[in-house]
Amino acid sequence: MSGKYKQIINSRIFITAILVLIQFVWIVLLFNKLITHYAVTNMLFKLLSIIFVLAIVSKDENPAFKIGWLIIIMVAPLFGALLYLTSGDSKPSRKLQRQLNKEHDIWKPYLVQEESVTEQLAKLNKRAFGTCQYLNNLSDYPVYQNTSVTYYPIGEKMYESMLEELEKAEHFIFLEYFIISEGIMWDNILEILKRKAKEGLDVRLIYDDWGCLTCLPPGYTREMEKHGIKCMSFNHVIPLLSLVMNNRDHRKIIVIDGHIAFNGGINLSDEYINEKERFGHWKDTGVKIVGDAVWNFTMMFLEMWNAFRKTDEGVEEFRPHRYHKEVFPSDGFVQPFADNPLDGESVAENVYLEIITQAKDYVYIFTPYLILDNEMKSALCLAAKRGVDVRLVTPGVPDKKLTYRLTRSNYLVLLKAGVKIYEYTPGFLHAKSYVCDDQFGVVGTINMDYRSLYLHFECGTFLYQSEAVMELKKDTLETIEQSRQVSRNDIRQGYLGKLINSVLKILAPLF
């Protein structure tokens, strides 16, 4: 047997897949055995499906999300119920909720909104004030001035800046990522982290275990600890059909010395900087934040870290001005925020909806996936119908074919309403960005799909009157120039195609 096949057989993903497959086969065999008692079994399954349907209907969740699951369960009572138990509930496990909620209550008092900032914002723009108030009230993260923002239109540019700032670190470095993959990008960052840890800096790393399942070897946290890098994997993968695996840490954060942070869609893997080609040219976006607003990202990281590895009793050593005594220059208003499945509030989606519904002139959107609920679809259509220039940019080369088809299945209703849709022809667009009316912008990790909006731990940066907003607008228009505009003729399909799309829309909560 060649070394390549041995490596595959011994990999975590292979072992996990085999164990999950065994469980699935066992369930199928059990199901077949139960069928021999068809009358009793049929009655039991119907009763169970009714119980599940009533439980789902009673939940305070998005109607589109619930309807998809209701249809799945009613069509296939047993498998639908099992699928919902393992993949459908947006709430994390009770243990995970307890740990994170307890830690959030501990750190929340350190997130204090400076009244002078909101007073000035209220005088400038009531709409911006309302959005920032919403984010502060529901996600607990304040809005700041005394912060500058640099926008990066491509992963390579942000990567250069990341290396430069990491080299300057003198006190601590925090990293939290969904995907870390061995290669040029991560190897160069890791070399700096090892060196900084050896110099005595507090270097910590969080990575999502599912996101890195095929990218990092087993025992990677132990390997990092050997180099002085404190490390933990979030929600460690267990080879079971389990609801616990449903909630992933999809955030991408770097914090350096408390006053520099990076955020955006860019993971630590070579395709994000086009050192490895997977789906054509990889287009992504990100921001560097310098100043007071970095505190929000520091607190996001510390809350996640201390929920599982209790390390810190205080926070003073991590504040932006602990190692930088001067006042930071202001570049508008900056509000990093978090969204998670713990609070029952779709914070990110509501911010997106607010931007769309209150837009006056234009809304330009980068999104790799377009799996829309009724609220989002209606908001986009109504904005276009009242004369707002609504433009969506999606990938021209898909990373997942079924998801791409589901994305395109939403095009027709949007095009009919006057929404302009462009596909990035050079390759895959992974950016998650909004820009509106030359004033508002969001750059972050949040996709326009069910998993990002309801199931994952996410983060983003809300911008008002920042120079980065105009840089984002410029980049969007330049990207549109490289993209192909989609027309209604491009998406004509026969009856079979429409049927497939209808089925995919029912299954949308699974994507």
Side-chain angles (χ1 to χ4, degrees):
M1 184 182 294
S2 69
K4 179 181 178 181
Y5 289 111
K6 283 183 180 179
Q7 186 177 4
I8 292 173
I9 291 173
N10 292 325
S11 68
R12 290 178 67 206
I13 187 67
F14 181 82
I15 295 169
T16 300
I18 290 297
L19 291 174
V20 170
L21 180 62
I22 290 171
Q23 294 169 68
F24 182 77
V25 170
W26 180 84
I27 291 171
V28 171
L29 293 174
L30 177 63
F31 177 72
N32 288 333
K33 191 171 183 63
L34 288 172
I35 287 178
T36 59
H37 307 285
Y38 181 77
V40 177
T41 304
N42 188 45
M43 185 178 296
L44 177 62
F45 287 167
K46 284 183 178 180
L47 179 61
L48 286 173
S49 66
I50 291 170
I51 292 172
F52 271 97
V53 165
L54 292 174
I56 294 170
V57 169
S58 67
K59 288 193 171 186
D60 186 20
E61 291 182 340
N62 184 280
F65 188 71
K66 293 195 290 187
I67 289 171
W69 281 111
L70 291 175
I71 294 174
I72 292 170
I73 290 172
M74 294 305 292
V75 170
L78 174 63
F79 288 107
L82 288 171
L83 203 57
Y84 180 77
L85 282 173
T86 57
S87 305
D89 197 344
S90 62
K91 292 293 183 184
S93 70
R94 290 181 180 179
K95 181 181 178 182
L96 193 63
Q97 287 187 68
R98 283 196 304 270
Q99 287 176 289
L100 290 166
N101 284 332
K102 179 182 178 182
E103 207 60 37
H104 185 70
D105 290 340
I106 293 172
W107 297 102
K108 184 177 176 180
Y110 295 103
L111 293 165
V112 179
Q113 178 63 67
E114 189 175 329
E115 290 186 7
S116 62
V117 175
T118 51
E119 287 172 359
Q120 185 175 348
L121 183 59
K123 291 177 183 177
L124 285 173
N125 190 304
K126 289 289 185 182
R127 170 189 167 190
F129 170 75
T131 303
C132 292
Q133 279 287 90
Y134 170 79
L135 281 172
N136 186 216
N137 292 337
L138 274 299
S139 77
D140 296 318
Y141 291 96
V143 60
Y144 300 87
Q145 292 179 293
N146 299 332
T147 304
S148 60
V149 181
T150 303
Y151 173 76
Y152 299 101
I154 198 71
E156 295 91 309
K157 294 293 184 183
M158 183 162 157
Y159 173 54
E160 291 175 10
S161 183
M162 288 161 60
L163 292 178
E164 182 180 337
E165 297 297 347
L166 286 168
E167 287 284 7
K168 296 177 185 176
E170 297 180 348
H171 304 281
F172 68 89
I173 301 170
F174 298 157
L175 300 94
E176 182 176 348
Y177 277 86
F178 179 61
I179 292 174
I180 297 174
S181 182
E182 294 176 315
I184 294 171
M185 186 181 191
W186 175 237
D187 289 349
N188 287 334
I189 291 174
L190 182 57
E191 188 275 327
I192 298 174
L193 299 182
K194 289 178 182 177
R195 181 158 30 89
K196 293 295 181 179
K198 191 173 182 180
E199 293 170 7
L201 275 66
D202 184 358
V203 182
R204 306 186 198 181
L205 170 65
I206 300 173
Y207 64 87
D208 184 83
D209 202 44
W210 181 265
C212 297
L213 188 62
T214 62
C215 307
L216 297 179
Y220 199 71
T221 54
R222 294 192 297 273
E223 182 180 338
M224 292 297 99
E225 296 281 349
K226 290 178 183 177
H227 297 289
I229 299 170
K230 302 167 189 173
C231 185
M232 72 171 229
S233 60
F234 176 78
N235 207 358
H236 195 72
V237 172
I238 54 176
L240 296 172
L241 292 169
S242 170
L243 183 62
V244 176
M245 294 297 99
N246 213 23
N247 306 109
R248 309 312 320 172
D249 184 355
H250 196 244
R251 306 193 305 204
K252 294 98 180 166
I253 300 170
I254 293 180
V255 177
I256 303 169
D257 291 347
H259 59 269
I260 297 171
F262 291 89
N263 178 226
I266 300 160
N267 282 296
L268 306 183
S269 184
D270 283 354
E271 61 266 31
Y272 291 84
I273 57 172
N274 287 293
E275 286 289 346
K276 178 173 71 176
E277 183 174 326
R278 293 186 63 197
F279 311 106
H281 184 267
W282 194 287
K283 163 71 177 175
D284 219 323
T285 60
V287 289
K288 178 175 74 173
I289 301 162
V290 180
D292 289 358
V294 173
W295 182 240
N296 285 7
F297 283 123
T298 304
M299 295 302 290
M300 287 180 212
F301 181 92
L302 288 174
E303 181 181 312
M304 182 69 80
W305 180 269
N306 283 278
F308 305 98
R309 285 189 61 170
K310 192 66 178 176
T311 305
D312 308 290
E313 297 297 333
V315 297
E316 295 307 314
E317 63 183 299
F318 304 116
R319 288 191 179 275
H321 290 279
R322 178 69 172 83
Y323 308 108
H324 189 285
K325 304 302 182 182
E326 297 84 6
V327 175
F328 297 103
S330 281
D331 176 20
F333 296 81
V334 183
Q335 190 170 18
F337 65 95
D339 193 10
N340 62 63
L342 300 172
D343 54 14
E345 183 84 9
S346 301
V347 172
E349 181 178 35
N350 289 339
V351 171
Y352 285 172
L353 287 170
E354 190 279 337
I355 291 173
I356 296 166
T357 55
Q358 297 201 48
K360 295 178 180 178
D361 299 316
Y362 74 86
V363 178
Y364 301 156
I365 300 169
F366 283 152
T367 181
Y369 313 117
L370 193 66
I371 303 175
L372 305 176
D373 60 18
N374 188 63
E375 286 83 357
M376 186 66 71
K377 195 179 298 182
S378 296
L380 290 167
C381 290
L382 287 172
K385 287 176 181 178
R386 59 186 172 84
V388 176
D389 181 9
V390 182
R391 305 189 193 185
L392 300 172
V393 188
T394 63
V397 178
D399 65 334
K400 306 177 186 74
K401 290 186 178 181
L402 280 178
T403 304
Y404 179 66
R405 185 180 184 110
L406 185 53
T407 289
R408 296 189 107 240
S409 72
N410 287 294
Y411 283 0
L412 187 58
V413 65
L414 298 175
L415 291 170
K416 286 180 178 178
V419 176
K420 301 181 183 73
I421 301 174
Y422 302 84
E423 292 183 339
Y424 180 65
T425 50
F428 183 62
L429 181 137
H430 189 256
K432 310 98 166 43
S433 305
Y434 272 57
V435 62
C436 174
D437 294 346
D438 291 356
Q439 292 186 310
F440 305 94
V442 176
V443 178
T445 69
I446 309 145
N447 294 317
M448 293 176 70
D449 63 18
Y450 287 96
R451 303 205 69 81
S452 266
L453 297 176
Y454 299 108
L455 300 176
H456 289 167
F457 292 82
E458 304 277 2
C459 63
T461 304
F462 178 77
L463 306 168
Y464 171 65
Q465 286 193 346
S466 168
E467 291 181 9
V469 171
M470 296 308 295
E471 290 298 314
L472 173 54
K473 178 186 180 182
K474 176 184 175 184
D475 177 39
T476 308
L477 292 174
E478 289 177 353
T479 303
I480 286 172
E481 287 296 317
Q482 302 175 61
S483 304
R484 180 180 66 88
Q485 185 168 3
V486 179
S487 70
R488 289 167 64 174
N489 289 332
D490 294 326
I491 52 175
R492 286 182 176 175
Q493 298 179 24
Y495 290 112
L496 180 59
K498 291 178 180 178
L499 178 62
I500 293 171
N501 288 344
S502 297
V503 173
L504 287 176
K505 286 181 179 180
I506 292 171
L507 298 175
L510 302 178
F511 286 85

CSV table of all heavy atoms in Angstrom, one decimal, residues 362-385:
chain,number,residue,atom,x,y,z
A,362,TYR,N,-27.8,53.1,-2.8
A,362,TYR,CA,-27.3,51.8,-3.3
A,362,TYR,C,-26.9,50.9,-2.2
A,362,TYR,O,-26.6,51.4,-1.0
A,362,TYR,CB,-26.0,52.1,-4.2
A,362,TYR,CG,-24.8,52.4,-3.5
A,362,TYR,CD1,-23.9,51.5,-2.9
A,362,TYR,CD2,-24.4,53.8,-3.3
A,362,TYR,CE1,-22.8,51.8,-2.3
A,362,TYR,CE2,-23.3,54.1,-2.6
A,362,TYR,CZ,-22.5,53.2,-2.1
A,362,TYR,OH,-21.3,53.5,-1.4
A,363,VAL,N,-26.9,49.6,-2.5
A,363,VAL,CA,-26.3,48.6,-1.6
A,363,VAL,C,-25.6,47.6,-2.5
A,363,VAL,O,-26.2,47.1,-3.4
A,363,VAL,CB,-27.4,47.8,-0.8
A,363,VAL,CG1,-26.7,46.7,0.0
A,363,VAL,CG2,-28.2,48.7,0.1
A,364,TYR,N,-24.3,47.5,-2.2
A,364,TYR,CA,-23.5,46.5,-3.0
A,364,TYR,C,-23.0,45.4,-2.0
A,364,TYR,O,-22.6,45.7,-0.9
A,364,TYR,CB,-22.2,47.2,-3.6
A,364,TYR,CG,-22.5,48.3,-4.5
A,364,TYR,CD1,-21.5,49.3,-4.7
A,364,TYR,CD2,-23.7,48.4,-5.2
A,364,TYR,CE1,-21.8,50.4,-5.6
A,364,TYR,CE2,-24.0,49.5,-6.1
A,364,TYR,CZ,-23.0,50.4,-6.3
A,364,TYR,OH,-23.2,51.5,-7.1
A,365,ILE,N,-23.2,44.2,-2.4
A,365,ILE,CA,-22.9,43.0,-1.5
A,365,ILE,C,-22.0,42.0,-2.2
A,365,ILE,O,-22.2,41.6,-3.3
A,365,ILE,CB,-24.3,42.4,-1.2
A,365,ILE,CG1,-25.2,43.4,-0.5
A,365,ILE,CG2,-24.0,41.1,-0.3
A,365,ILE,CD1,-26.6,42.8,-0.3
A,366,PHE,N,-21.0,41.6,-1.4
A,366,PHE,CA,-20.2,40.4,-1.8
A,366,PHE,C,-20.7,39.3,-0.9
A,366,PHE,O,-20.7,39.4,0.3
A,366,PHE,CB,-18.7,40.7,-1.4
A,366,PHE,CG,-17.9,41.5,-2.3
A,366,PHE,CD1,-16.8,42.3,-1.9
A,366,PHE,CD2,-18.2,41.6,-3.7
A,366,PHE,CE1,-16.0,43.0,-2.7
A,366,PHE,CE2,-17.5,42.4,-4.5
A,366,PHE,CZ,-16.4,43.1,-4.0
A,367,THR,N,-21.0,38.1,-1.5
A,367,THR,CA,-21.3,37.0,-0.7
A,367,THR,C,-21.0,35.7,-1.5
A,367,THR,O,-21.3,35.6,-2.7
A,367,THR,CB,-22.8,37.0,-0.3
A,367,THR,OG1,-23.1,35.8,0.5
A,367,THR,CG2,-23.7,37.0,-1.5
A,368,PRO,N,-20.3,34.7,-0.9
A,368,PRO,CA,-20.0,33.5,-1.6
A,368,PRO,C,-21.3,32.6,-1.8
A,368,PRO,O,-21.3,31.7,-2.7
A,368,PRO,CB,-19.0,32.8,-0.8
A,368,PRO,CG,-19.2,33.4,0.6
A,368,PRO,CD,-19.7,34.8,0.4
A,369,TYR,N,-22.2,32.7,-0.8
A,369,TYR,CA,-23.4,31.9,-0.9
A,369,TYR,C,-24.7,32.8,-0.7
A,369,TYR,O,-24.6,33.7,0.1
A,369,TYR,CB,-23.4,30.9,0.3
A,369,TYR,CG,-22.1,30.1,0.4
A,369,TYR,CD1,-21.3,30.3,1.5
A,369,TYR,CD2,-21.6,29.4,-0.6
A,369,TYR,CE1,-20.0,29.6,1.6
A,369,TYR,CE2,-20.4,28.7,-0.5
A,369,TYR,CZ,-19.6,28.9,0.6
A,369,TYR,OH,-18.4,28.3,0.7
A,370,LEU,N,-25.7,32.4,-1.4
A,370,LEU,CA,-26.9,33.2,-1.4
A,370,LEU,C,-28.1,32.3,-1.2
A,370,LEU,O,-28.9,31.9,-2.0
A,370,LEU,CB,-27.1,33.9,-2.8
A,370,LEU,CG,-28.1,35.1,-2.8
A,370,LEU,CD1,-27.8,36.2,-2.0
A,370,LEU,CD2,-28.4,35.5,-4.3
A,371,ILE,N,-28.2,31.9,0.1
A,371,ILE,CA,-29.3,31.0,0.5
A,371,ILE,C,-30.2,31.8,1.4
A,371,ILE,O,-30.0,32.0,2.6
A,371,ILE,CB,-28.7,29.7,1.3
A,371,ILE,CG1,-27.7,29.0,0.3
A,371,ILE,CG2,-29.8,28.8,1.7
A,371,ILE,CD1,-27.0,27.9,1.0
A,372,LEU,N,-31.3,32.3,0.8
A,372,LEU,CA,-32.0,33.4,1.4
A,372,LEU,C,-33.3,32.9,2.1
A,372,LEU,O,-34.0,32.0,1.6
A,372,LEU,CB,-32.4,34.4,0.4
A,372,LEU,CG,-31.3,35.0,-0.4
A,372,LEU,CD1,-31.8,36.0,-1.5
A,372,LEU,CD2,-30.3,35.8,0.5
A,373,ASP,N,-33.6,33.5,3.3
A,373,ASP,CA,-35.0,33.3,3.8
A,373,ASP,C,-35.9,34.4,3.2
A,373,ASP,O,-35.5,35.2,2.5
A,373,ASP,CB,-34.9,33.4,5.4
A,373,ASP,CG,-34.4,34.7,5.9
A,373,ASP,OD1,-34.4,35.7,5.2
A,373,ASP,OD2,-34.0,34.7,7.1
A,374,ASN,N,-37.2,34.3,3.6
A,374,ASN,CA,-38.2,35.2,3.0
A,374,ASN,C,-37.9,36.6,3.3
A,374,ASN,O,-38.1,37.5,2.5
A,374,ASN,CB,-39.6,34.8,3.4
A,374,ASN,CG,-40.6,35.6,2.7
A,374,ASN,OD1,-40.8,35.4,1.5
A,374,ASN,ND2,-41.4,36.4,3.4
A,375,GLU,N,-37.5,36.9,4.6
A,375,GLU,CA,-37.2,38.3,5.0
A,375,GLU,C,-36.1,38.9,4.2
A,375,GLU,O,-36.2,40.1,3.7
A,375,GLU,CB,-36.8,38.3,6.5
A,375,GLU,CG,-38.0,38.1,7.4
A,375,GLU,CD,-38.3,36.6,7.6
A,375,GLU,OE1,-37.7,35.8,7.0
A,375,GLU,OE2,-39.2,36.3,8.5
A,376,MET,N,-35.0,38.2,4.0
A,376,MET,CA,-33.9,38.8,3.2
A,376,MET,C,-34.3,38.9,1.8
A,376,MET,O,-33.9,39.9,1.1
A,376,MET,CB,-32.7,37.8,3.4
A,376,MET,CG,-31.4,38.4,2.7
A,376,MET,SD,-30.8,39.9,3.5
A,376,MET,CE,-30.2,39.2,5.1
A,377,LYS,N,-35.0,38.0,1.2
A,377,LYS,CA,-35.4,38.0,-0.2
A,377,LYS,C,-36.3,39.2,-0.4
A,377,LYS,O,-36.2,40.0,-1.4
A,377,LYS,CB,-36.1,36.7,-0.6
A,377,LYS,CG,-36.2,36.6,-2.1
A,377,LYS,CD,-36.9,35.2,-2.4
A,377,LYS,CE,-36.1,34.1,-1.9
A,377,LYS,NZ,-36.7,32.8,-2.3
A,378,SER,N,-37.3,39.4,0.5
A,378,SER,CA,-38.2,40.5,0.4
A,378,SER,C,-37.5,41.9,0.5
A,378,SER,O,-37.8,42.8,-0.2
A,378,SER,CB,-39.3,40.4,1.5
A,378,SER,OG,-40.1,39.2,1.3
A,379,ALA,N,-36.6,42.0,1.5
A,379,ALA,CA,-35.8,43.2,1.7
A,379,ALA,C,-35.1,43.6,0.4
A,379,ALA,O,-35.1,44.8,0.0
A,379,ALA,CB,-34.9,43.1,2.9
A,380,LEU,N,-34.4,42.7,-0.2
A,380,LEU,CA,-33.6,42.9,-1.4
A,380,LEU,C,-34.5,43.4,-2.6
A,380,LEU,O,-34.2,44.3,-3.3
A,380,LEU,CB,-32.8,41.7,-1.8
A,380,LEU,CG,-31.6,41.3,-0.9
A,380,LEU,CD1,-31.1,39.9,-1.2
A,380,LEU,CD2,-30.5,42.3,-1.1
A,381,CYS,N,-35.6,42.7,-2.7
A,381,CYS,CA,-36.6,43.0,-3.8
A,381,CYS,C,-37.2,44.3,-3.6
A,381,CYS,O,-37.3,45.1,-4.5
A,381,CYS,CB,-37.7,41.9,-3.9
A,381,CYS,SG,-37.0,40.3,-4.5
A,382,LEU,N,-37.7,44.6,-2.4
A,382,LEU,CA,-38.3,45.9,-2.1
A,382,LEU,C,-37.4,47.1,-2.3
A,382,LEU,O,-37.8,48.1,-2.8
A,382,LEU,CB,-38.9,45.9,-0.7
A,382,LEU,CG,-40.2,45.0,-0.5
A,382,LEU,CD1,-40.5,45.0,1.0
A,382,LEU,CD2,-41.3,45.6,-1.3
A,383,ALA,N,-36.1,46.9,-1.8
A,383,ALA,CA,-35.2,48.0,-2.0
A,383,ALA,C,-35.0,48.3,-3.5
A,383,ALA,O,-34.9,49.4,-3.9
A,383,ALA,CB,-33.8,47.6,-1.4
A,384,ALA,N,-34.8,47.2,-4.3
A,384,ALA,CA,-34.7,47.4,-5.8
A,384,ALA,C,-35.9,48.1,-6.4
A,384,ALA,O,-35.8,49.0,-7.2
A,384,ALA,CB,-34.4,46.1,-6.5
A,385,LYS,N,-37.1,47.7,-5.9
A,385,LYS,CA,-38.4,48.2,-6.5
A,385,LYS,C,-38.6,49.7,-6.2
A,385,LYS,O,-39.2,50.4,-6.9
A,385,LYS,CB,-39.5,47.4,-6.0
A,385,LYS,CG,-39.6,46.0,-6.6
A,385,LYS,CD,-40.8,45.2,-6.0
A,385,LYS,CE,-40.8,43.8,-6.6
A,385,LYS,NZ,-41.9,42.9,-6.0
